[in-house]
Amino acid sequence: MTTYVISGDNILNFNDFTLGPNLIKAITEMGFEEPSDIQQLAIPVLMEETRDFVGQAQTGTGKTAAFALPLLQHIEGYKGKVKALVLAPTRELANQVCTEIDKLSKYSNVKTLAIYGGTSYDKQKLGLKRKKPGIVVGTPGRVIDLIKQKVLDLSELEYVVLDEADEMLNMGFFEDVQTILSGILQEKRMWMFSATMPTPILNLIKRDFKNPSIVKVKKETLSNANIEQIYYIVKKRNFNEALGRLLKVEEEFYGIIFCRTRMETKELAEYLLREGHFVETLHGELGQAQRDLAMSRFKSRKTKIMVCTDVAARGIDVNELTHVINYGLPQDCESYVHRIGRTGRAGSKGISITLTDPREKSRLGRIEKITKSKIELKKLPTVKDLKRGMVVSELEKMSNIANVLFEKGHDFKLDNNFDLFQEGFGPLPKEDVLKVLFTYAFNKDLKRLDEMGAIDDQDAMKKERSKGREQGRRDRGDKSEGGRRGARVIKTGHVRLFMNMGKDDGLNLMSLLDDLSTQSKCQKRMISNIDMKAKFSFLEVPERYGDVFLRKKMKVKNRLVRFEVSH
Ligand code: ADP
Ligand code: MG
């Protein structure tokens, strides 16, 4: 048995493999510039050797192409029965793999078909008959069904690929996989790919498969360095509230929230919907049509939040997710790696957020150890921040309305009942009218926030602090040290700025936001934590706008204004 380890230096390019021009053309069209580490290791071996093969590399590193390219090259030119069977644990994953192979084989003559449960047999049977696929990608249950019905003929099969092999050889699937394998040629080649390979599975592979080559892409850390890993310590009963608060302050969110059970998935989705977020859900109870619809809305970014269970998420290959949220720690370390590997793909940055019940805190330490990565403790947005954020965002909506209402030349007609409304206020002065409207608009939510207060688990955070972890100290900032009220923690990825104008200069929030956002091109809602003092003010903007504020000559109330970084 051989184990190769690579440190991440890319040595080959796609032309160095013995892949035909049809494949190279497709690869180029797909925009792949150089093979990923696992592709560098696996492709040459799979092109040459006839031994069984095990390839392990983290999520999002191109394992599909690592097996699909050699498969397509080997099968190129064959006509007739199915030559290769790829088994995947979920329908979404089967579809995903099929789509990827379709793209890779755009200029080849090999056809690929996905077959999976939860949808009608007829279409898939017809597909097998008409398309005559060389490669079938399927979920075990449906594959067995179609073999039994003598529709899927594997008598000429030469290659079997287990994608997400750890899952495929795990309880639940193992028997099915054995059943399928028992019915096919002894001379087949078995290829297995996975992000993780727990020891029992590895032992099983060594026992059952013939002297496999085992190739492992080993990086410094198992999980991706592009992922900023954060956690919050919150009691389980406050998870929903914590999540609501986080979603309110994240300026950009396109991500997955992982729950442990279907029940949790459904309940959380309902909560978020009630809070006014559009969400999709994926879990085992949904029918295929519902799952497809959820996936397509999420993929096209019509919905930016996906709530799901681990197994349901196996198939989600969406690049450029900004966040992965763990609604509680996953069952095991492998799931954590799988989950957070959904973000920070293909070189882009991602954030993983884990809500941890204080009782589970120790498991987090273990995950850190095994993944050799750092998960940072943070404080949830404070009540003060949230209240301010709420007012700012409502004000922005109102100012948009004002813009439409009072735009010159735009004769917006109010409904007749406005008179009634106006009369209702009688002779109240403007300030009192505003007070009434403010109370009307915000009181319920402001009060709720006040009553709820901070929901970070203070005891657990204190314990963490007493361990003297440098990180912990930094995150809690000056608040915990001096016990001052109202100190704040700057939002991740934000910079706090000092501005040399304040209330005495007649600043008001709406016009300030207007002025700053038009000149800096930074959206109003991204300018946060504005704190106006008499002679100066503070505010926070996303880091990428920092330079604009510091360098650009900007005017507020027609006066040149100066910014400095505030620490
Ligand atoms: P894995 O199975 O390892 O989780 P996938 O095979 O699903 O990863 O690939 C993740 C994404 O990376 C896909 O969108 C795929 O098209 C893309 N990809 C694969 N290989 C390369 C490459 N060499 N260069 C750039 N992108 C790639
Ligand atoms: Mg994969």
Side-chain angles (χ1 to χ4, degrees):
M1 182 165 54
T2 336
T3 305
Y4 302 89
V5 176
I6 194 167
S7 65
D9 300 328
N10 283 332
I11 14 172
L12 299 171
N13 69 46
F14 281 108
N15 288 315
D16 296 327
F17 306 128
T18 43
L19 299 171
N22 289 342
L23 292 175
I24 297 290
K25 195 170 166 192
I27 292 167
T28 314
E29 218 168 83
M30 287 170 80
F32 296 4
E33 281 169 10
E34 54 183 19
S36 65
D37 291 343
I38 186 67
Q39 290 162 0
Q40 302 224 17
L41 286 173
I43 296 175
V45 179
L46 298 179
M47 291 295 292
E48 304 296 333
E49 279 188 23
T50 52
R51 281 196 295 164
D52 287 346
F53 181 90
V54 178
Q56 184 186 344
Q58 63 193 101
T59 312
T61 53
K63 291 190 288 295
T64 316
F67 63 76
L69 289 168
L71 263 190
L72 289 166
Q73 190 60 45
H74 286 306
I75 300 176
E76 177 84 45
Y78 279 110
K79 290 255 158 26
K81 297 182 183 166
V82 178
K83 277 279 165 202
L85 175 67
V86 181
L87 291 174
T90 67
R91 332 164 213 208
E92 282 79 17
L93 195 54
N95 257 325
Q96 203 106 63
V97 169
C98 185
T99 311
E100 181 91 349
I101 303 182
D102 274 340
K103 285 190 212 154
L104 291 166
S105 59
K106 186 170 171 194
Y107 300 102
S108 311
N109 59 4
V110 181
K111 300 260 184 309
T112 309
L113 184 75
I115 59 176
Y116 42 82
T119 177
S120 96
Y121 283 87
D122 292 348
K123 221 171 122 196
Q124 293 174 5
K125 284 181 182 170
L126 205 67
L128 281 168
K129 219 160 135 191
R130 293 240 176 100
K131 218 172 173 185
K132 298 207 184 329
I135 303 175
V136 163
V137 186
T139 51
R142 181 57 63 99
V143 167
I144 293 178
D145 284 352
L146 291 176
I147 293 174
K148 278 191 189 144
Q149 295 179 27
K150 303 209 181 319
V151 194
L152 180 58
D153 179 354
L154 298 180
S155 59
E156 285 185 19
L157 197 77
E158 283 182 31
Y159 303 90
V160 179
V161 182
L162 302 186
D163 198 13
E164 309 278 349
D166 56 342
E167 185 88 357
M168 301 305 302
L169 296 175
N170 218 332
M171 280 176 316
F173 278 126
F174 185 61
E175 251 177 65
D176 283 351
V177 172
Q178 291 286 48
T179 310
I180 297 169
L181 294 183
S182 66
I184 54 188
L185 277 181
Q186 280 307 300
E187 285 315 301
K188 69 192 177 294
R189 293 171 65 180
M190 285 290 304
W191 299 350
M192 287 151 277
F193 282 83
S194 186
T196 58
M197 204 53 85
T199 318
I201 303 282
L202 204 58
N203 290 339
L204 190 108
I205 289 174
K206 287 180 195 163
R207 193 193 73 194
D208 282 9
F209 300 103
K210 47 174 199 259
N211 185 27
S213 297
I214 300 183
V215 152
K216 202 167 168 180
V217 174
K218 204 174 159 103
K219 296 258 171 152
E220 287 289 287
T221 53
L222 189 52
S223 42
N224 195 319
N226 289 333
I227 306 172
E228 182 185 352
Q229 301 179 53
I230 296 171
Y231 74 100
Y232 297 95
I233 309 183
V234 182
K235 290 216 170 68
K236 180 84 200 283
R237 66 182 143 84
N238 287 328
F239 275 8
N240 284 355
E241 175 71 21
L243 202 54
R245 292 186 182 186
L246 287 168
L247 290 175
K248 279 207 178 78
V249 299
E250 291 301 327
E251 64 181 61
E252 206 194 338
F253 190 97
Y254 178 46
I256 305 179
I257 304 173
F258 283 99
C259 298
R260 271 204 221 167
T261 63
R262 277 175 208 183
M263 209 45 201
E264 242 177 38
T265 309
K266 283 199 268 188
E267 282 171 7
L268 174 63
E270 275 164 26
Y271 173 81
L272 292 174
L273 284 167
R274 278 200 306 274
E275 287 287 292
H277 297 283
F278 291 111
V279 301
E280 297 295 337
T281 45
L282 273 188
H283 55 75
E285 258 168 47
L286 300 175
Q288 187 60 28
Q290 283 168 297
R291 298 165 70 114
D292 289 346
L293 198 64
M295 266 314 283
S296 84
R297 280 199 294 243
F298 184 62
K299 277 195 149 177
S300 62
R301 295 186 179 223
K302 283 201 182 83
T303 316
K304 299 215 170 160
I305 304 177
M306 171 67 90
V307 184
C308 61
T309 54
D310 286 283
V311 175
R314 282 269 172 159
I316 303 178
D317 171 33
V318 180
N319 285 324
E320 288 160 21
L321 289 183
T322 60
H323 290 75
V324 165
I325 296 188
N326 294 310
Y327 188 81
L329 272 177
Q331 232 80 329
D332 51 43
C333 181
E334 274 92 30
S335 311
Y336 181 86
V337 173
H338 266 297
R339 285 178 173 190
I340 73 164
R342 307 277 150 194
T343 184
R345 286 186 164 211
S348 58
K349 293 258 179 244
I351 299 176
S352 96
I353 292 176
T354 305
L355 298 180
T356 319
D357 186 89
R359 279 173 304 183
E360 292 193 318
K361 172 68 200 37
S362 62
R363 284 182 47 224
L364 198 85
R366 241 175 294 148
I367 292 181
E368 271 192 309
K369 226 179 190 165
I370 296 173
T371 59
K372 295 201 187 69
S373 58
K374 184 100 199 79
I375 312 176
E376 265 185 66
L377 174 65
K378 294 241 160 149
K379 239 174 94 30
L380 285 166
T382 62
V383 167
K384 190 179 167 201
D385 286 343
L386 289 163
K387 285 161 69 175
R388 193 182 280 268
M390 185 164 83
V391 174
V392 169
S393 86
E394 291 309 308
L395 264 182
E396 187 179 346
K397 285 183 210 157
M398 292 183 202
S399 102
N400 287 340
I401 295 178
N403 284 345
V404 176
L405 276 183
F406 310 126
E407 197 187 354
K408 277 200 197 84
H410 195 115
D411 195 14
F412 191 90
K413 199 140 172 35
L414 283 174
D415 188 272
N416 288 340
N417 286 299
F418 176 70
D419 295 340
L420 189 64
F421 187 71
Q422 196 170 19
E423 274 165 29
F425 285 90
L428 279 186
K430 177 179 168 192
E431 192 182 333
D432 291 352
V433 172
L434 289 178
K435 280 180 186 161
V436 173
L437 289 180
F438 182 86
T439 311
Y440 181 80
F442 299 117
N443 226 31
K444 206 167 110 224
D445 289 328
L446 292 174
K447 220 168 138 204
R448 193 183 59 83
L449 279 170
D450 276 332
E451 276 166 9
M452 194 93 191
I455 52 170
D456 297 279
D457 192 89
Q458 300 298 336
D459 291 343
M461 304 232 339
K462 239 181 254 158
K463 254 191 236 152
E464 197 58 12
R465 181 171 44 206
S466 68
K467 276 197 218 151
R469 287 170 49 172
E470 186 240 325
Q471 198 54 52
R473 259 182 273 135
R474 203 167 65 212
D475 283 333
R476 279 179 298 274
D478 44 8
K479 180 160 187 175
S480 55
E481 309 284 327
R484 275 188 286 127
R485 279 181 64 81
R488 89 233 105 66
V489 174
I490 301 175
K491 267 202 269 172
T492 330
H494 283 63
V495 47
R496 187 156 180 89
L497 299 173
F498 161 92
M499 183 180 100
N500 66 343
M501 280 174 79
K503 282 184 199 152
D504 287 0
D505 302 293
L507 285 189
N508 84 50
L509 200 56
M510 268 216 268
S511 66
L512 175 66
L513 282 172
D514 271 329
D515 282 342
L516 295 181
S517 101
T518 6
Q519 295 168 76
S520 66
K521 303 277 179 292
C522 174
Q523 282 183 40
K524 283 189 223 170
R525 64 185 182 85
M526 294 187 190
I527 306 177
S528 54
N529 288 334
I530 301 174
D531 190 3
M532 277 188 230
K533 310 282 185 211
K535 308 271 181 227
F536 51 83
S537 309
F538 294 97
L539 48 92
E540 281 169 37
V541 298
E543 253 158 23
R544 60 178 185 281
Y545 289 100
D547 263 356
V548 181
F549 278 80
L550 294 173
R551 301 237 163 91
K552 195 169 170 180
K553 289 203 163 59
M554 288 203 270
K555 282 187 169 175
V556 170
K557 296 206 118 203
N558 279 326
R559 254 184 55 190
L560 214 54
V561 64
R562 182 173 51 85
F563 292 93
E564 283 166 27
V565 176
S566 147
H567 297 284

